[in-house]
Amino acid sequence: MSRIDESLPFHPVRIALLTVSDTRTPGTDRSGDTLAARIEEAGHVLAARAILPDERGQIAGQLRHWVADPEIDVVISTGGTGLTGRDVTVEAHRDVYEKEIEAFGTIFALVSYETIGTSAVQSRATGGVANGTYLFALPGSPGACRDAWDRILKLQLDSRHMPCNFVEIMPRLGEGRTG
């Protein structure tokens, strides 16, 4: 399984956090607050935070803005990953991805199944890479955000995580890119 090698240095990453919702405000964004607290508790930097409505073009535009920013290593969004007509976050992410991390959604479904059973089938959580930046789209519930962070992202964004982690390959994400 996985472990943290305490003999290795911890390298904090800079994370932008996007909440996608037609109704949430900074005062009611429990999922965003859950992630922000966990990001900082883990020793990472909350580099930016925003709330946008469920509008594919606006979401993709914000994602592109952040992946173009050399001061942002990771983008995490919460909300808009379900099956309803207004749930367009996954499509917006895929508009931006250069490569999708297919196993992220699979592992998230496995983790979610342990918590919510077969209801996990309704999530379309996704991950990908664009311009050397990781992007992850999580469901909008605080529980789903806790599960994704605590069971997947906290470990993969820890440079000491063995046998491998996302941080160690960050310098190589742009290899082979043209233009």
Side-chain angles (χ1 to χ4, degrees):
M1 278 310 264
S2 57
R3 65 181 175 85
I4 301 296
D5 183 343
E6 299 288 345
S7 71
L8 297 174
F10 175 79
H11 298 288
V13 296
R14 299 159 299 192
I15 302 173
L17 179 56
L18 175 63
T19 297
V20 177
S21 174
D22 289 332
T23 59
R24 294 198 183 156
T25 66
T28 62
D29 183 14
R30 291 181 34 233
S31 296
D33 290 344
T34 295
L35 286 166
R38 280 170 159 69
I39 288 165
E40 292 175 342
E41 287 168 13
H44 298 296
V45 176
L46 183 60
R49 187 169 175 184
I51 298 176
L52 288 176
D54 293 276
E55 296 294 339
R56 182 174 176 172
Q58 288 183 43
I59 298 164
Q62 183 64 65
L63 297 176
R64 285 187 184 100
H65 173 74
W66 280 338
V67 301
D69 186 339
E71 296 301 313
I72 294 176
D73 303 309
V74 178
V75 176
I76 301 173
S77 68
T78 174
T81 63
L83 301 174
T84 71
R86 295 286 294 154
D87 291 326
V88 296
T89 303
V90 172
E91 289 75 18
H93 270 252
R94 288 182 174 146
D95 289 344
V96 176
Y97 291 166
E98 294 167 1
K99 291 186 178 185
E100 188 162 359
I101 306 170
E102 290 89 352
F104 178 79
T106 303
I107 297 299
F108 179 78
L110 291 170
V111 166
S112 295
Y113 182 77
E114 294 175 11
T115 305
I116 61 172
T118 60
S119 294
V121 76
Q122 294 186 35
S123 172
R124 298 184 305 134
T126 185
V129 178
N131 195 35
T133 304
Y134 290 108
L135 299 105
F136 302 98
L138 309 179
S141 76
C145 290
R146 275 191 303 275
D147 287 347
W149 180 265
D150 295 349
R151 306 273 311 276
I152 305 169
L153 294 175
K154 178 181 177 183
L155 298 169
Q156 281 297 300
L157 295 175
D158 190 324
S159 55
R160 305 165 299 168
H161 181 267
M162 293 293 134
C164 58
N165 59 74
F166 287 144
V167 179
E168 69 188 354
I169 61 173
M170 286 174 87
R172 298 180 51 216
L173 291 178
E175 289 178 348
R177 289 184 79 233
T178 57

